[in-house]
Structure formats: structure tokens, C-alpha cells
Amino acid sequence: MRQVAVLGAGSWGTTFAKVLADGGSEVTLWARRPELAREISQSRRNSDYLRGINLPRTLWASSNLHDVLDDAEQVYLSVPSQSLRENLRIVRDLIPDGVPVVSLMKGVEKGTRYRMSEVIQQELGCDPDRIAVVSGPNLALEIAKEQPTASVVASSSPETAAAVATAATNPYFRCFMNNDVIGTEFGGVLKNLIAVAIGIVDGVGYGENTKASIITRGLVEMTDFAVAHGARAETLSGLAGLGDLIATCESPLSRNNTAGRLLGQGYAFADVVKQMNQTAEGLSSVGPVLELAAAHGVEMPIVAQVAEVLAGTLDPRDIAPHLTTDDSPEPPTEE
């Protein structure tokens, strides 16, 4: 059996470990807390993050990184984006030479504004062809329940993408491949920001017309931003863009949607963070994304409004009217 390591035993890391195990791999999952590792290995459960889900017998967990990474043929990373660099510095001498390293994360690093694949390349000093990213409509609990879905594996190397896609394909999870790493990664990052906006207006009490308008205009912002950074526009209209956007904006299972809804209900940013059991990557990516947008001359009015709500300088009820990309008195043209 293929030996695979997954670092991060939150809802998505555990779910993807299940996906890989159900695809025929023997999976070792790193859990930071020894008690969680014991529960996963002994009870085949992760009650903290995937209550009620039975995990495969070919999946076990450990809090010892040496045990998890020893003899791994593929390594998957599912840690909070803002702690990725720190974690890579701990494990880089433990990752076997030449194996594919796969990002399951959807964030941009604060300060540096690097994508996760860029952080991986820098910290591991590895060839970009060894790196792959996975993105798409990935609501963890639905996938853990084996509800059918599809995702994208992107890599500059067709061989790496194919190896990862093969490992991650099973009867309920289908992987497609592309070589647009930039578009695939930014699709996963940017949809989180639009999902926060949708959560805000949902929390305020606005209806489906408002949300549909924000989703549609949000996709324009996502595409303009990604293309300005070298992505292909068609990637943003596929699973890693539109598909992920719809799932994240429309589901109460979305952490970013939930965080936005709490903001819309009047909770302060600090209180929202306290209430969240897991990281909502969109909250930490707003600042870096707006900095990147400004550097490339891309207007992102919806994301800018989210930033103002987070800062407490905009009443959540005022986010909905700001759906235009043109402040002139003339009616704007839809692009």
C-alpha cells in the first residue's frame, strides 16, 4: 500500500486523511495533542472535529512527527496558514527526499503575502515540481460523510499532479488536474473572503437577491485579482473558483460563512475569533489580499468592505449597497 502522511488533524486534515485511506493508501496523521492521536488510532473517531464519523482502519495517528513522516511517499499539509512556515521549519529534515508535498491550505501569509506553495518552496528548498495544491468545494463534514464531490489538483509537474490525484480519488471523491497553481490557490483563498461577506449580510438578515449579487460580483473580483497575478481566467470559473465559491458561501458548514454571520449579528472581531472552534482562514487573509490587490492596481470593493467591518469602521448593514466597482455618477457596465 502507498504510505502517506498528513500533518494536521483538524476537520479538513482528518477528512482528507480519510479520503486518502479510502483511496487505497495507508495513512499516518499527525495530531498535535497526544490524546487526540490516541482517540483517532484506538476509537477510529475524531470527536473534536468530525463527530459521528467512523475512520478507516488504514488510518492511524500519532503526535510524534518522526513516526508520521518515516517512509512517507507523499506528504500532505493541513495546518493553519499563518503557522505553516513555523511548522515546516520543524519538519523539513524529516520529510523524505523527493516526495510530493501537497498543500491542503487556503490562505495567504501575513507580512510576506506569499501563497502556501511559495512558503513550502522557500522553507523546504525543493523543486516546484514536487509541490501540488488541492482546492475545490471542500466542506469537510460532507466529504467525511462520503457525499460525492470533486476537486482540483494543481502542480507545475503533470507527474506530481497525477500521483496526488490518483491517491486522492475514491468512489466519492474525484480529482481533476491542471497546471495553474496560482489560479487554483488564489481561488481557494479569495472565495473565503466573499464567503465572509455573504455571512455578514446573512447575519444582518438580507435575502437571496443580496447574496446572489455579492457572489456574482465577488467572482469578478476573484477573477480580476487572480489574472493580475498570472492565473488563467478559466480556472476561476471551474471547481477551484466558482465551485468552491458556491459551496463556501451557501453552506452553514463553512467556517468563513459562520464567522461572517457572527459579525453581521453584531459580534466584534475579537469575540468572533473566540467563538470559532477552528481557524476561519478568510479572516486572516483579508489584509494580505488587499495589499496584493493594491500593488497590482486591482479594485476589490467587496473585500474592502469586509475589511472595514472587521476593523469596526463599517456597520455590517451598510455592506450590501457597496456592490459597484465604479464610484462615478454614471451607471457602471457589468464586466
Side-chain angles (χ1 to χ4, degrees), residues 2 81 280:
R2 185 188 301 107
S81 59

Side-chain angles (χ1 to χ4, degrees), residues 55-78:
L55 300 174
R57 294 188 177 277
T58 51
L59 189 166
W60 64 276
S62 174
S63 59
N64 186 312
L65 285 165
H66 291 267
D67 292 343
V68 171
L69 290 167
D70 190 36
D71 295 328
E73 298 171 48
Q74 297 177 359
V75 176
Y76 293 76
L77 302 170
S78 184

Side-chain angles (χ1 to χ4, degrees), residues 7-39:
L7 304 188
S11 60
W12 183 223
T14 305
T15 294
F16 210 82
K18 181 182 186 302
V19 166
L20 293 163
D22 288 340
S25 296
E26 183 170 331
V27 183
T28 54
L29 177 63
W30 176 69
R32 180 175 52 83
R33 293 181 286 119
E35 64 273 18
L36 178 57
R38 282 194 299 271
E39 182 192 22

Side-chain angles (χ1 to χ4, degrees), residues 139-142 195 198-199 202 211 245-262 276 278:
L139 296 168
L141 185 59
E142 289 186 2
I198 292 297
D202 204 19
K211 288 186 281 187
L245 178 66
I246 293 170
T248 309
C249 287
E250 290 297 311
S251 174
L253 295 175
S254 163
R255 286 170 279 176
N256 294 283
N257 183 291
T258 299
R261 193 162 57 252
L262 291 170
M276 298 293 292
Q278 297 187 72

Side-chain angles (χ1 to χ4, degrees), residues 69-321:
L69 290 167
D70 190 36
D71 295 328
E73 298 171 48
Q74 297 177 359
V75 176
Y76 293 76
L77 302 170
S78 184
V79 299
S81 59
Q82 303 309 319
S83 68
L84 173 61
R85 191 179 295 275
E86 174 187 350
N87 280 286
L88 287 174
R89 288 172 178 170
I90 295 171
V91 304
R92 59 186 169 196
D93 294 331
L94 303 177
I95 296 176
D97 292 338
V99 304
V101 180
V102 186
S103 169
L104 302 178
M105 298 157 292
K106 300 177 179 181
V108 175
E109 188 178 45
K110 289 182 179 179
T112 67
R113 305 193 291 266
Y114 288 127
R115 291 175 283 113
M116 297 296 97
S117 66
E118 293 176 308
V119 175
I120 293 169
Q121 183 180 350
Q122 292 167 7
E123 289 301 324
L124 299 186
C126 63
D127 189 321
D129 282 354
R130 279 181 56 195
I131 301 170
V133 301
V134 175
S135 196
N138 298 146
L139 296 168
L141 185 59
E142 289 186 2
I143 296 172
K145 290 179 177 179
E146 302 185 8
Q147 296 179 9
T149 192
S151 284
V152 174
V153 177
S155 176
S156 57
S157 162
E159 292 76 18
T160 297
V164 173
T166 299
T169 294
N170 62 42
Y172 60 87
F173 195 89
R174 171 77 184 278
C175 284
F176 294 82
M177 300 186 300
N178 72 39
N179 61 2
D180 186 5
V181 175
I182 296 173
T184 300
E185 275 194 292
F186 274 138
V189 173
L190 298 169
K191 59 86 186 182
N192 283 337
L193 313 189
I194 306 304
V196 174
I198 292 297
I200 291 171
V201 301
D202 204 19
V204 165
Y206 293 140
E208 300 306 317
N209 290 334
T210 304
K211 288 186 281 187
S213 299
I214 291 177
I215 289 172
T216 306
R217 296 307 302 166
L219 181 61
V220 173
E221 289 190 23
M222 290 170 57
T223 305
D224 288 348
F225 178 99
V227 169
H229 287 80
R232 296 196 298 268
E234 55 265 32
T235 302
L236 278 297
S237 63
L239 288 166
L242 179 59
D244 202 3
L245 178 66
I246 293 170
T248 309
C249 287
E250 290 297 311
S251 174
L253 295 175
S254 163
R255 286 170 279 176
N256 294 283
N257 183 291
T258 299
R261 193 162 57 252
L262 291 170
L263 290 164
Q265 290 169 353
Y267 289 93
F269 175 53
D271 294 329
V272 170
V273 173
K274 289 179 183 177
Q275 289 200 42
M276 298 293 292
N277 185 39
Q278 297 187 72
T279 303
E281 296 284 15
L283 299 181
S284 57
S285 296
V286 171
V289 164
L290 285 176
E291 291 168 4
L292 286 169
H296 285 75
V298 178
E299 293 184 357
M300 303 190 78
I302 295 173
V303 177
Q305 295 292 330
V306 170
E308 289 189 48
V309 172
L310 293 177
T313 58
L314 180 71
D315 187 318
R317 289 188 172 276
D318 292 334
I319 194 171

